[in-house]
Amino acid sequence: EKTGRVDARLLEAIGLPVGTTCSGCFDKVFDPDEGTHFDFALEEPDGLKVFFVCKPEEQVFGVCADDAPHREKLERHYRRYLAEHVDALWLEDAAFFEHYEILRNVSYLGRYRESGLVFIYPKANQALAEAENAIKRIVSKSLAPRVAILYLEYLAARLLTLTEGDVALDERYLRFRDKYVQPPP
């Protein structure tokens, strides 16, 4: 984990208001006992946190086995943070374990009242289309304003627009785009 100040153009690209000041950290773990790694996390000095889950190449969000260790984790780490924010059906074992990674990440919105969660993946990834529907159903009770789905194609284009003229960043974001954004068929 290395924390540093985040360039204002990146904050603008993800939709935060101009003038927002944040530090950022890749591969951030907020609760070592529980163990969730966020691909990226932003923190404002006043306490706002934004958690990022990036799936540039993956085809699914993680599931887990319905076994004693995961049932214990549900009770110890997740249920209390999710109970007031998601419909009870998502806390039933079968639904929870089928959508484990999504719900595990959403639980952090219950832990940190001043927080948001952003899922980033390619819109062109048809395998994640069903996951998008699940995310929207899971957060529909009270968390929808705090959860965003940001398509990788949009993010790459927005970053290239905002860094135009900054040769070093343009090259970095072009390599990023070329690696993760597939051209339309």
Side-chain angles (χ1 to χ4, degrees):
E1 283 182 15
K2 183 178 177 188
T3 303
R5 186 170 178 182
V6 178
D7 188 290
R9 294 168 291 191
L10 174 60
L11 299 175
E12 185 179 347
I14 61 172
L16 290 175
V18 174
T20 301
T21 302
C22 290
S23 61
C25 183
F26 288 98
D27 199 29
K28 179 72 174 175
V29 177
F30 287 91
D31 180 352
D33 183 48
E34 182 266 336
T36 293
H37 289 249
F38 288 98
D39 296 303
F40 187 66
L42 293 174
E43 296 185 66
E44 282 188 339
D46 66 0
L48 170 76
K49 294 175 179 20
V50 182
F51 314 107
F52 292 84
V53 178
C54 302
K55 299 283 187 185
E57 300 175 297
E58 293 89 337
Q59 298 299 306
V60 297
F61 282 92
V63 300
C64 71
D66 182 349
D67 57 18
H70 286 104
R71 285 191 297 276
E72 191 269 331
K73 255 187 141 170
L74 169 59
E75 295 308 320
R76 187 164 156 225
H77 293 289
Y78 307 123
R79 186 177 301 279
R80 66 182 162 164
Y81 297 115
L82 291 166
E84 70 181 83
H85 297 293
V86 302
D87 289 328
L89 71 99
W90 298 109
L91 297 175
E92 294 173 9
D93 290 353
F96 183 83
F97 299 135
E98 183 180 341
H99 298 93
Y100 178 74
E101 183 180 3
I102 295 169
L103 286 156
R104 180 188 69 196
N105 292 322
V106 168
S107 78
Y108 276 77
L109 299 176
R111 295 167 191 245
Y112 298 96
R113 299 278 179 209
E114 296 294 320
S115 63
L117 175 61
V118 179
F119 294 96
I120 301 173
Y121 53 85
K123 182 173 180 63
N125 185 334
Q126 294 300 311
L128 291 179
E130 183 57 34
E132 181 173 336
N133 292 331
I135 291 167
K136 289 176 180 177
R137 290 190 320 268
I138 289 167
V139 303
S140 66
K141 183 176 179 183
S142 67
L143 296 174
R146 296 171 56 197
V147 176
I149 295 171
L150 187 59
Y151 298 121
L152 196 55
E153 297 91 335
Y154 167 82
L155 179 60
R158 184 85 172 118
L159 285 168
L160 284 167
T161 298
L162 292 169
T163 61
E164 191 172 357
D166 185 328
V167 175
L169 282 178
D170 276 351
E171 288 178 17
R172 181 177 296 160
Y173 289 128
L174 281 168
R175 285 193 311 272
F176 172 84
R177 183 199 64 196
D178 292 345
K179 180 175 181 177
Y180 293 113
V181 177
Q182 300 300 315

